[in-house]
Amino acid sequence: MKIGILTGGGDCPGLNAVVRGVTKAALRKGWEVIGFKDGFKGVVEGRSERLDDRDVSGILIRGGTILGTSNTANPFSYTIRPLGSIEAPKDLSGLAVKNLEKLGVNALVAIGGDGTLNIAYKLHKKGFPVVGVPKTIDNDLSATDVTFGFDSALTVATEAVDRVHTTAESHQRVMIVETMGRYAGWIALRAGIAGGGDIILIPEIPYRAQDIAKAVADRRRRGKNFSIVVVAEGARPEKGEMTVTKIVAGSTDPLRLGGVSYKIAGIIEKQINVECRVVVLGHVQRGGEPTPFDRWLATGFGVKAVELIEKKQFGRMAALKHYVCESVTLAAAVRKLRRVGKDCQELRTAVGVGTSLGNADVQQFRGVAI
Ligand code: F6P
């Protein structure tokens, strides 16, 4: 048996732990493991290396991915980029399958988020045996209770919220911490709860300028002269759009966000004249060592992926259900994003302790626009 493995999409703490888990479990069964370079780019371009025990030794706690990754390489719509230009996308999935077969790869483990898993599903439908492993710091895949990488990002974001408290209090300012989270506000919501944020703004609940300003003003009236705002990069006003900083052509999701926190600062300074400072966490949340939870989950997912291949359960993805590594179909995995819903525990918790969600109607659990 010879299996291939690749990491696709944005990097994330825990990718190396999965690569290690898959490789160790496969080698122990006497299988061979081939690592493809830079996600599906390496499959299309035929760039790979054999992985053995030595290659995966010591990588459990390392961030990033030893295999490299790409968030633009989609074999079904492949863009060749000679320096300074971009060619029209071509379907090179046939070439990808041919390259896998040429190497004698019997099954492929694709580790990635929504984009990568969609490609994996298409390859499976094309007849190549694939299993998926869910990754993303955004935790926005509905078919698993949690993705690896989320807990690590949450730890960084929570520490940032903790740390800005002292400056906020000393200077009687509003400190605004901007987290990642494009379409789902899980990082902002959980870090906001864990770090004691006073206002949490997420993509699922469009904010109202006057409600944000009122929340800060109300706190000041109660003698709390500082406030902490935690805002997800994908947050948007009730009658407006997300803050897009750039468009990455050829990416499975071309929008790159960032900077909404400056808009929030502008609102607060203009409406109630309280000094604000902004911290945009950005890729700091994706770097560094995975937390123990993510190492545990990533290793469990790696072993589960090998188990799926052994049982010939292709077209499936490892998934965590009630703390047990199980599996779901790739079709189910890519069907729907997991977003914050109006009945979720986190929203009830935040509202329960009096946190503002930037929209007075939402605090009454009415009119949640999700
Ligand atoms: O999807 C994961 C994510 O980290 C998002 O939270 C963020 O918007 C995006 O990737 C950033 O992508 P890039 O690394 O291409 O800037």
Side-chain angles (χ1 to χ4, degrees), residues 10 71 136-138 180-182 233 255-257 283 286:
N71 62 4
T136 159
I137 64 161
D138 290 1
M180 278 188 169
R182 249 192 266 220
E233 62 180 354
L255 299 186
R256 290 298 173 275
L257 309 177
H283 291 82
R286 279 203 345 219

Side-chain angles (χ1 to χ4, degrees), residues 15-132:
L15 283 170
N16 283 327
V18 183
V19 172
R20 172 181 172 274
V22 168
T23 305
K24 280 185 175 280
L27 293 177
R28 264 145 202 79
K29 293 187 187 301
W31 301 358
E32 214 179 300
V33 183
I34 306 291
F36 286 92
K37 299 289 190 176
D38 306 328
F40 280 104
K41 201 161 193 267
V43 181
V44 170
E45 294 175 1
R47 287 186 295 113
S48 63
E49 65 174 11
R50 200 182 142 149
L51 297 177
D52 66 27
D53 247 332
R54 264 191 324 256
D55 300 306
V56 296
S57 163
I59 67 168
L60 174 62
I61 68 167
R62 251 169 73 186
T65 161
I66 59 162
L67 295 176
T69 187
S70 162
N71 62 4
T72 52
N74 176 357
F76 293 88
S77 175
Y78 199 81
T79 319
I80 297 174
R81 300 160 184 265
L83 261 189
S85 64
I86 302 181
E87 289 178 6
K90 291 190 187 99
D91 182 353
L92 297 185
S93 56
L95 176 63
V97 171
K98 214 182 276 170
N99 286 345
L100 286 161
E101 286 170 352
K102 207 155 67 189
L103 283 166
V105 171
N106 309 111
L108 180 67
V109 181
I111 311 165
D114 195 37
T116 305
L117 294 170
N118 255 298
I119 298 168
Y121 180 46
K122 281 184 159 176
L123 262 188
H124 163 72
K125 284 198 292 186
K126 205 176 163 73
F128 196 84
V130 185
V131 299

